[in-house]
Amino acid sequence: EDWVDSGTRVSSLVTSISGDVVVPSTPLGGVAWLDRYAVDVLTVARLDGSIEAQIDLLAAALSHDGFTSNPHDALRLADGRILVSRHNPNLNPDASELSRGDDVIVIDEGHVVAAIDLHADVAQIRARPDVLLPVSSGARSGVLVTLAQLDARYETAGPGAALVLDEMLEPSLPVTFGALENCGAAALDPTDPSRAYVLCAGLLYATEDERRAHSGILELTFSEAGTLDVTGMAMADATSGVPTNGLIALGGRRVLAVAAGQVLPREPDRLLVIDVAAGTSREVLRTHAAAFALGDGTFDVAHDIALVPDAESSAILRIDASTATLIDEIEIGGCLGLPPREIGPL
């Protein structure tokens, strides 16, 4: 049922749900979502539907900056503070330290209190941080941050990269991924907290053939020494398509990913299962006709089922993780007639 919508209001920031919303990769407690481009707000709601907090992520940037930070992910630390990745840089050279963007900010008691510089702006390629994931190995823990490494217009890319924020939130030097580009999406292995997978999609506006050489899935392992190592790679397969979004880690060094179709000529989306250990992939299913219909899903560990939103069918696809086959579809209705686009964990 319709639970929170764009008509929901609170008395503090009074920002309703926009048209560009994502949910955090990991639970923040209750329900949370990020209003991204030109809104820059993190909203946290209680399970009864009431709004707990709305947090301004611009950190009092000057109104004439024209700056939108385009937040991409949020992560709650053990001490209650929240990290948010801000994907866009502030092009105003006089912007304050807390309003520069292209960084990870620290939120404490509802306010931005610090900004973590991520070695950005090398030859006009910005870091463009994306996903934040908690990783641990033995007694050591940290936060994995993916870096898309793109220019201001998303037309040029540096090598995809990732780094780790240590327990004091100090960033490591980035680990780069060679020819792979636009490596933003990431997912934790559900059986190993030291292992994560990163999807490299290639440049957004390139053709599929152009993206193929720069696309694939990487396996990263966080060591007890605090290092981040590339321990596996599956390049885009010529027959199964180029992964673009929808990364879900299944365990057993396997992931699901979506190879988006084309609008013209019309081509459907394809859901792929990729074995990173073997470097192979196969098609699980495809949409009937629509491109950009399969969204970002999640993994239900308790039932060994992946959940994938399908906007074309207005349904949630339930995928058996052990066999990577479709179980059934759950139709979604009654929520303003809008199709499902993204599913996140609680």
Side-chain angles (χ1 to χ4, degrees):
E1 294 297 325
D2 181 1
W3 177 68
V4 174
D5 60 39
S6 58
T8 302
R9 295 286 192 274
V10 293
S11 59
S12 53
L13 197 58
V14 194
T15 299
S16 60
I17 296 176
S18 73
D20 185 11
V21 175
V22 295
V23 296
S25 301
T26 53
L28 263 67
V31 178
W33 62 89
L34 288 157
D35 281 275
R36 300 198 306 179
Y37 191 74
V39 179
D40 301 278
V41 167
L42 169 64
T43 301
V44 182
R46 302 178 184 91
L47 290 175
D48 64 2
S50 61
I51 303 299
E52 177 182 333
Q54 288 194 307
I55 302 168
D56 178 5
L57 303 175
L58 290 181
L62 300 175
S63 59
H64 62 264
D65 282 352
F67 171 52
T68 174
S69 70
N70 194 8
H72 271 213
D73 204 3
L75 171 71
R76 189 183 293 274
L77 300 173
D79 61 11
R81 292 180 297 168
I82 296 174
L83 304 181
V84 175
S85 57
R86 299 196 298 185
H87 198 66
N88 286 3
N90 189 341
L91 301 182
N92 180 357
D94 298 323
S96 68
E97 180 180 352
L98 298 184
S99 300
R100 291 175 184 168
D102 197 28
D103 54 15
V104 173
I105 53 175
V106 183
I107 297 169
D108 192 11
E109 296 184 351
H111 300 283
V112 179
V113 296
I116 304 169
D117 182 20
L118 301 175
H119 316 290
D121 198 13
V122 178
Q124 302 304 308
I125 299 296
R126 305 286 182 164
R128 292 199 179 273
D130 202 323
V131 171
L132 308 172
L133 295 176
V135 290
S136 62
S137 181
R140 189 180 290 268
S141 62
V143 176
L144 172 69
V145 185
T146 60
L147 308 177
Q149 302 267 81
L150 298 165
D151 72 352
R153 296 181 178 271
Y154 295 85
E155 295 175 344
T156 305
L163 55 76
V164 172
L165 304 178
D166 65 17
E167 294 174 351
M168 300 301 294
L169 299 184
E170 291 293 329
S172 68
L173 290 175
V175 176
T176 57
F177 306 145
L180 300 187
E181 297 174 346
N182 191 14
C183 306
L188 275 178
D189 190 299
T191 62
D192 185 349
S194 70
R195 183 178 295 161
Y197 303 93
V198 176
L199 187 156
C200 301
L203 284 174
L204 178 64
Y205 302 113
T207 66
E208 183 174 81
D209 286 340
E210 290 170 337
R211 289 191 294 113
R212 192 178 307 281
H214 304 285
S215 304
I217 306 294
L218 289 162
E219 177 189 83
L220 305 181
T221 301
F222 179 64
S223 74
E224 291 190 48
T227 61
L228 191 64
D229 302 299
V230 178
T231 52
M233 181 186 301
M235 296 293 288
D237 186 276
T239 59
S240 296
V242 177
T244 53
N245 63 286
L247 182 68
I248 303 174
L250 302 178
R253 303 182 72 187
R254 298 175 307 132
V255 302
L256 293 176
V258 175
Q262 297 184 135
V263 177
L264 292 173
R266 179 174 291 185
E267 291 183 359
D269 288 352
R270 288 169 284 178
L271 182 65
L272 312 175
V273 59
I274 299 167
D275 187 321
V276 181
T280 59
S281 65
R282 70 171 174 84
E283 184 177 306
V284 176
L285 56 83
R286 61 178 62 192
T287 54
H288 300 294
F292 303 102
L294 299 180
D296 294 329
T298 192
F299 183 56
D300 179 355
V301 179
H303 299 95
D304 201 33
I305 291 173
L307 304 173
V308 179
D310 181 359
E312 181 184 54
S313 301
S314 288
I316 305 298
L317 310 181
R318 298 202 311 153
I319 309 295
D320 185 306
S322 60
T323 61
T325 56
L326 177 66
I327 300 171
D328 56 21
E329 301 181 8
I330 303 171
E331 292 187 7
I332 300 297
C335 190
L336 304 180
L338 297 174
R341 285 292 184 183
E342 186 172 3
I343 306 173
L346 286 176

